[in-house]
Amino acid sequence: MAGLSGTLRRTRWRFGLITSGIAVLLAGVGLINAGAAHAAAGCRVAYAAPSQWPDGFTANVDVTNLGDPLNGWRLTWTFPSGQRVTQAWNATVTQSGSDVTASNVGYNAALGTNQTASFGFNGSWSGANNAPTSFALNGVTCTGSVGPSTPPPSTPPPTTPPPTGNPMAYVAAMQPGWNLGNTFDAVGADETAWGNPRVTQAQLDAIRAQGFNSIRIPVTWSNHHGPAPSYTIDAAWLNRIKEVVGWALDDGFYVMINLHHDSWQWIHEMPTNRTTVLNRYNALWTQIAAAFRDASPRLHFESVNEPQFANSSGDAQNAQLLHELNVNFHRIVRASGGNNATRMLVLPTLHTSSEQARINELTTTINQLNDRNLIATVHFYGYWPFSVNVAGGTRFDATTQQDLVDSFDRVYNAFVARGIPVVIGEYGLLGFDRHTGTIQQGEKLKFFEFLGYYARHRQLTTQLWDNGQHFNRISYQWTDPELFAQIKSSWTTRSGTASADQVYVPRTGSITAKSLTLHLNGTTFAGLRQGSTNLTQGTDYTVSGNQLTLTASAVTRLVGNRAYGVNATLQARFSTGVPWRIDVISYDPPVLSNATGSTASFAIPTQFRGDQLATMEARYADGSNAGPHDWTSYKEFDVAFAPDYPGNRITLTDTFFDAVRDGAAVTLTFHFWSGTQVTYRVTKSGGSVTGVTG
């Protein structure tokens, strides 16, 4: 993503930063497949409790199979402090005394070599909450290594060879794909400049084991070559790129390399410095093409990432300049011979946009080149208000879905329908630039579920943008296993969802039935479960059409003592795909307090009382919009404001106050996911801010 990576590297977090004080436990576990004699056995288990509260905690468990493939698994451990599992997801968990057994569910029974099954649970504790010290799997106590009976596979997962002369089949074989982001594209001394670790073969093996068939390796060359006229690429840098590309090819990946942040560092100057930019661009591609002339056909080149131009005269000039870059790139690579004579080449639209005008411009270029071995590429980060959480775009609603449909339909009609394959070279949500919590969990799950489905429907290959915040490149774990499970499921099938993943129950007063709308997405509803216990239809819940209703008696049981926060977690299960998690939450309306501070540091003391913040409006006394993005009253999450749940406060940023009139009172309306709205008033006076309750 051009120009955004500086923010991205600051928002990455690593598996193992545990707020509850429970350590991450990495244990070698013996794995035995009961159905296979003499199978090599071994695994790695990561146990972590990312959150803890009085009497309760949430734990995540990742089991990585290091031995021969398994079909069915059972993980056992003993709690050292008498903890109890209360709800679980992605595994069937039972407990007898302190002994716990977690067994696979249907969709995660198969564990190939180096593949990971992830599950989690909520638990209760009293006195102490110490982590288990050992595990056993399928009855075998932890060994810490792979058994010697059968050597572990030394070859990567099989990949279909590149189909000869069939570009559509070639790109279909690339699905799904992943970006090695914020690494070789980093603007700095080397691949670690933006905080990611040095790439290793083991990292690539681990991501390959997640099911990805292609890898996009963005490369920024601007800091790694000499001066004009030769612009000689640093030998060490080029050799390092060749090394990692070689590892990826050996792993069976289809591999893409490009000119990445060069686009906004110097290529954008082409309108006013055409000759210099073109000479530099041509010199780099001449050297890159020569270096990879004889590489596997599974390697393909992308001319430039997110092309853009500054100080141009408008769309016509932009189109002509990008056409010139793409045509020169094509000419240089084809003329270099070897496998480059027929290598698949990737051409972007301006800004890698899916707008119709940009698609039309690329269509003109592809028609002129008259080369079957071309791939069109665009990027997709969703409908902007939803993607960043601004202008009230808190939900994956009909508008957000239609934006995706329209984008994918346009590239399908322009390219795929004519036999020109398309790669969505990056996809995600722009709010992830800050952190993945900018967009509410259930809403983002619905976005990724639908994206995967509709990309399949339109025969588009997708490559997930990962700057290090999704797949941890040290622990080889997903920071949000639930999100990845939804993404992975969408590669092959649809999953049912619902109107929300939260049911809010007032902490005081009588308890009533609670309803959600099911989004079946072509599946059938298969039942509701709490942990390993199936809830009873008719007694615990009813289904009428697409309405799922929890009965008042079931809600009463689920909320228990009605402590603030998540009291129970349910799973709505469907005929295909992953289950839909539903948190049952007790809450009271949040309480805000008066505060003083500065424009650089202002926070509203907040008792959230089980609720969570969705968005914030800002208006002056006359009803006009206040703050940045003054075309809307709804401000941008994590840019103008942000909740701090552990700190019991809501912060307002200097970005917000920079766009507020001095001396003019601003009424803030905080919208919470329970539906509660709370008003508050702030007034800026120079560098000081006063806040009072509404």
Side-chain angles (χ1 to χ4, degrees):
M1 295 173 63
L4 298 174
S5 298
T7 302
L8 287 166
R9 71 178 187 273
R10 291 194 294 271
T11 61
R12 281 194 314 114
W13 65 280
R14 297 188 182 282
F15 182 87
L17 299 180
I18 306 301
T19 58
S20 68
I22 298 180
V24 174
L25 176 66
L26 293 175
V29 181
L31 256 102
I32 295 294
N33 180 354
H38 309 298
C43 85
R44 178 176 61 247
V45 173
Y47 174 101
S51 60
Q52 178 176 307
W53 56 94
D55 303 327
F57 68 103
T58 296
N60 296 320
V61 183
D62 298 303
V63 185
T64 302
N65 176 23
L66 304 178
D68 287 344
L70 298 173
N71 186 16
W73 53 266
R74 185 181 72 258
L75 185 68
T76 58
W77 70 89
T78 300
F79 276 128
S81 308
Q83 300 98 318
R84 300 289 301 178
V85 174
T86 55
Q87 298 98 26
W89 49 93
N90 296 333
T92 300
V93 179
T94 58
Q95 185 168 357
S96 176
S98 294
D99 297 330
V100 185
T101 299
S103 301
N104 65 270
V105 290
Y107 60 84
N108 63 6
L111 269 184
T113 303
N114 291 323
Q115 287 187 335
T116 298
S118 300
F119 65 93
F121 59 85
N122 289 333
S124 60
W125 64 280
S126 177
N129 191 12
N130 298 317
T133 56
S134 65
F135 294 85
L137 202 136
N138 292 3
V140 177
T141 306
C142 302
T143 64
S145 61
V146 178
S149 11
T150 304
S154 58
T155 57
T159 299
T160 303
T164 303
N166 189 338
M168 287 293 295
Y170 180 103
V171 172
M174 292 168 54
Q175 174 68 3
W178 180 82
N179 274 267
L180 183 68
N182 280 29
T183 305
F184 294 107
D185 53 318
V187 179
D190 62 17
E191 68 205 77
T192 67
W194 282 354
N196 275 315
R198 186 173 171 85
V199 179
T200 65
Q201 286 179 289
Q203 286 176 20
L204 300 185
D205 293 346
I207 200 66
R208 181 79 170 99
Q210 305 304 308
F212 292 101
N213 289 323
S214 64
I215 183 170
R216 184 172 180 255
I217 305 178
V219 184
T220 299
W221 304 84
S222 57
N223 293 347
H224 303 286
H225 64 71
S230 61
Y231 301 103
T232 303
I233 298 172
D234 299 341
W237 181 252
L238 183 57
N239 287 335
R240 176 61 175 155
I241 302 301
K242 291 172 68 175
E243 179 179 46
V244 173
V245 167
W247 290 341
L249 291 171
D250 289 345
D251 253 345
F253 281 112
Y254 287 76
V255 182
M256 185 190 303
I257 61 173
N258 66 359
L259 267 61
H260 202 76
H261 291 308
D262 305 83
S263 60
W264 58 264
Q265 287 196 297
W266 54 273
I267 293 175
H268 74 291
E269 299 172 355
M270 196 171 174
T272 56
N273 202 4
R274 175 184 169 280
T275 300
T276 299
V277 168
L278 198 57
N279 287 344
R280 187 176 180 182
Y281 178 86
N282 289 349
L284 291 177
W285 270 120
T286 298
Q287 295 171 79
I288 297 166
F292 292 98
R293 178 181 185 273
D294 298 316
S296 165
R298 281 186 284 108
L299 174 67
H300 43 280
F301 303 148
E302 179 186 31
S303 62
V304 60
N305 172 71
E306 297 181 353
Q308 55 198 277
F309 302 104
N311 303 312
S312 76
S313 60
D315 288 349
Q317 185 182 21
N318 289 336
Q320 178 54 39
L321 294 174
L322 179 56
H323 174 80
E324 192 168 8
L325 290 174
N326 281 332
V327 168
N328 274 269
F329 160 74
H330 177 268
R331 172 183 55 80
I332 290 166
V333 174
R334 288 290 181 252
S336 64
N339 286 339
N340 289 345
T342 56
R343 188 176 304 285
M344 298 298 294
L345 302 181
V346 183
L347 304 183
T349 60
L350 186 70
H351 305 295
T352 51
S353 165
S354 59
E355 295 176 356
Q356 190 63 55
R358 308 289 79 82
I359 291 171
N360 293 345
E361 293 159 359
L362 181 58
T363 300
T364 298
T365 298
I366 291 176
N367 289 344
Q368 179 178 319
L369 291 175
N370 193 29
D371 184 335
R372 292 187 69 252
N373 287 352
L374 298 179
I375 303 169
T377 189
V378 297
H379 294 173
F380 188 76
Y381 285 95
Y383 180 59
W384 185 70
F386 173 75
S387 190
V388 303
N389 194 348
V390 72
T394 57
R395 294 186 181 274
F396 182 66
D397 58 11
T399 300
T400 303
Q401 178 172 309
Q402 192 61 48
D403 175 80
L404 186 153
V405 168
D406 291 345
S407 294
F408 287 11
D409 282 355
R410 286 193 295 268
V411 294
Y412 172 84
N413 291 330
F415 301 119
V416 176
R418 298 172 51 222
I420 301 167
V422 173
V423 171
I424 309 294
E426 296 178 14
Y427 74 94
L429 289 167
L430 294 173
F432 290 178
D433 292 355
R434 276 92 71 189
H435 61 82
T436 59
T438 297
I439 291 84
Q440 195 272 340
Q441 181 75 357
E443 301 305 315
K444 79 166 75 86
L445 293 177
K446 287 184 275 189
F447 169 83
F448 283 102
E449 192 281 332
F450 188 80
L451 186 150
Y453 152 69
Y454 207 70
R456 280 189 293 113
H457 175 64
R458 285 312 195 189
Q459 302 173 59
L460 310 177
T461 286
T462 58
Q463 297 185 310
L464 177 68
W465 177 258
D466 189 351
N467 61 356
Q469 69 183 171
H470 293 311
F471 187 74
N472 188 294
R473 301 178 196 175
I474 294 177
S475 69
Y476 306 153
Q477 308 297 321
W478 293 97
T479 56
D480 187 344
E482 183 181 48
L483 174 60
F484 179 65
Q486 187 67 270
I487 291 172
K488 187 171 185 176
S489 177
S490 76
W491 298 339
T492 56
T493 191
R494 295 218 67 177
S495 295
T497 64
S499 53
D501 63 345
Q502 300 167 326
V503 172
Y504 280 91
V505 182
R507 190 168 181 262
T508 56
S510 60
I511 293 175
T512 60
K514 298 293 180 181
S515 295
L516 294 173
T517 301
L518 296 175
H519 301 155
L520 295 175
N521 299 329
T523 72
T524 56
F525 179 69
L528 201 59
R529 181 177 291 179
Q530 181 185 12
S532 59
T533 302
N534 291 320
L535 273 64
T536 302
Q537 186 169 354
T539 302
D540 297 320
Y541 69 92
T542 61
V543 178
S544 177
N546 63 353
Q547 292 297 302
L548 169 67
T549 300
L550 295 172
T551 64
S553 60
V555 175
T556 301
R557 186 185 78 252
L558 293 169
V559 297
N561 63 6
R562 301 171 84 171
Y564 288 138
V566 178
N567 301 137
T569 297
L570 309 178
Q571 285 189 331
R573 308 181 72 81
F574 301 89
S575 56
T576 64
V578 295
W580 180 254
R581 174 188 45 77
I582 303 169
D583 287 335
V584 181
I585 300 169
S586 289
Y587 82 102
D588 276 328
V591 175
L592 281 57
S593 302
N594 296 344
T596 59
S598 69
T599 55
S601 179
F602 183 80
I604 303 169
T606 305
Q607 300 174 51
F608 290 99
R609 307 209 295 179
D611 216 337
Q612 292 185 316
L613 184 61
T615 187
M616 180 190 83
E617 290 186 88
R619 290 189 175 96
Y620 294 113
D622 64 2
S624 61
N625 300 328
H629 300 313
D630 61 4
W631 48 271
T632 177
S633 62
Y634 292 91
K635 304 297 102 174
E636 188 172 353
F637 199 102
D638 277 332
V639 172
F641 70 97
D644 177 1
Y645 298 110
N648 296 309
R649 62 183 190 163
I650 298 172
T651 61
L652 302 182
T653 67
D654 54 358
T655 299
F656 173 75
F657 286 114
D658 285 347
V660 168
R661 296 198 299 263
D662 203 59
V666 177
T667 297
L668 307 176
T669 303
F670 292 99
H671 296 254
F672 292 86
W673 281 104
S674 68
T676 300
Q677 297 181 22
V678 180
T679 59
Y680 194 83
R681 190 170 69 252
V682 294
T683 305
K684 181 180 80 169
S685 178
S688 299
V689 179
T690 301
V692 296
T693 56

